[in-house]
Amino acid sequence: MTDAEAVRRVVLPLPRAVERQTGGRWKHYIGQIVFLAFSKDEQAMGFGFPKEQRDDLVASAPDTFFLPRPQDLRFNWVCARLGPLDGDEMRELVTDAWRMCVPRMLHDLPDLPEPTARAWSLIDARDFSGAHPLLHPYLHWHDKELVLRGRTKVLAHLRQHPRPRPPDRVEVRDGQVYRWVRD
């Protein structure tokens, strides 16, 4: 059994996830894309889900899952009643809906240890239009593309490996992220 607050505890730490109220309903966005929305009474939620698989999902548990309104069937979307939804299943469905909307380099973040995921969330909350010292002083992130600046041997390596991968863990000292560590 789950409720809207349990869903929010999963959604809000996800990088780039933003909660806004629209038309009396709380919706969760990545940029301008809605990946999760609650009903007005917060007893049900709609979430991103592949069209090809949603009929099988609804058939597997019709008391929990249901199809959206007919005008919304064109979208990758399905709905669930929160009461009968298991917490682990809810977490998996929500993170999969989130993954449908974010760049691939962020896909593994919800499965990383908590301090690492939290560090990525903090970094992602910042403005990525300029250099971010925690990411790399020569690496500038512009939505969907990485730009390299400067002239060092580091740049040669980064040009060969342009997509940064998330760290394996984060070293925390005095409650603050000290550095990222890759094993």
Side-chain angles (χ1 to χ4, degrees), residues 139 146 148 154-165:
L139 194 60
L146 293 170
L148 299 170
V154 174
L155 289 181
H157 172 75
L158 290 174
R159 281 195 181 94
Q160 294 170 0
H161 305 89
R163 179 176 279 184
R165 62 185 176 98

Side-chain angles (χ1 to χ4, degrees), residues 39 60 88 105 142 175:
S39 61
S60 70
D88 292 334
M105 68 179 276
H142 299 278

Side-chain angles (χ1 to χ4, degrees), residues 20 28-35:
R20 286 185 237 142
H28 296 270
Y29 294 83
I30 301 293
Q32 294 182 352
I33 301 171
V34 177
F35 72 97

